[in-house]
Amino acid sequence: MRAVIQRVAEAEVQVGGRTVGKIDRGILTFLGVGAGDSKATVEKLIQKILRLRIFEDESAKMNLSLQEIQGGHLIVSQFTLYADLSKGNRPSFIDAAKPDVAREIYNHALEFSSAQGVLTQAGEFQADMQVRLVNDGPATLILVQDGGIE
């Protein structure tokens, strides 16, 4: 599982000109589900994201989590995080989970994030989405689930 996490002042996802997900201050997570990933894998990843101390405290130090600031969490499915660019010029997505499996795990990520008491919004699975965001910092982190997320 792979995630690109951005601390945002605001973020919004549109499909066909209509807004499907929108948050103010919080985290935008681009989530890539790989072959072999499971609901347990995504739960560990979401727990890690919600506990990341990437928001500034009163001393301007990255010391607060998303839950502590009561921010929003916008999760957008992005299979292109599994692009293999090692051969030729056309990306291969052989390591990405099949769409039916990825959809189930993505939906579980949304449910699990929400169940932790976080305002959780979503993109639209397998849609052509336009994502608008104001990256705060900028602060962008990459998280790769290799079985080692604690």
Side-chain angles (χ1 to χ4, degrees):
M1 187 160 294
R2 298 176 182 170
V4 173
I5 303 152
Q6 296 189 318
R7 184 179 71 187
V8 297
E10 62 185 24
E12 175 181 14
V13 178
Q14 292 188 344
V15 176
R18 67 179 168 83
T19 299
V20 297
K22 183 176 183 178
I23 62 168
D24 292 319
R25 184 177 184 209
I27 291 177
L28 168 59
T29 298
F30 292 104
L31 180 66
V33 179
D37 287 337
S38 67
K39 288 181 179 180
T41 308
V42 81
E43 286 180 8
K44 288 180 184 177
L45 184 120
I46 294 297
Q47 285 175 340
K48 179 73 170 184
I49 291 169
L50 299 183
R51 290 190 314 246
L52 287 172
R53 294 168 39 182
I54 62 171
F55 294 91
E56 293 181 353
D57 63 15
E58 63 279 348
S59 300
K61 291 186 179 187
M62 283 185 166
N63 200 29
L64 300 174
S65 71
L66 181 67
Q67 290 173 310
E68 290 172 312
I69 67 151
Q70 298 181 350
H73 191 193
L74 177 57
I75 307 174
V76 176
S77 177
Q78 189 169 348
F79 80 97
T80 58
L81 291 176
Y82 272 91
D84 179 352
L85 305 170
S86 62
K87 296 179 183 169
N89 294 317
R90 184 167 187 228
S92 167
F93 300 102
I94 194 128
D95 293 331
K98 300 293 182 201
D100 57 332
V101 172
R103 180 188 307 270
E104 183 178 344
I105 292 172
Y106 172 69
N107 287 335
H108 188 69
L110 296 167
E111 293 166 7
F112 188 80
S113 177
S114 183
Q116 306 312 302
V118 173
L119 169 66
T120 303
Q121 296 282 300
E124 189 172 305
F125 191 85
Q126 281 190 312
D128 179 22
M129 296 176 275
Q130 289 70 51
V131 181
R132 292 179 176 83
L133 65 122
V134 177
N135 190 320
D136 181 20
T140 302
L141 306 167
I142 299 170
L143 185 56
V144 177
Q145 164 63 1
D146 60 3
I149 292 178
E150 300 282 324

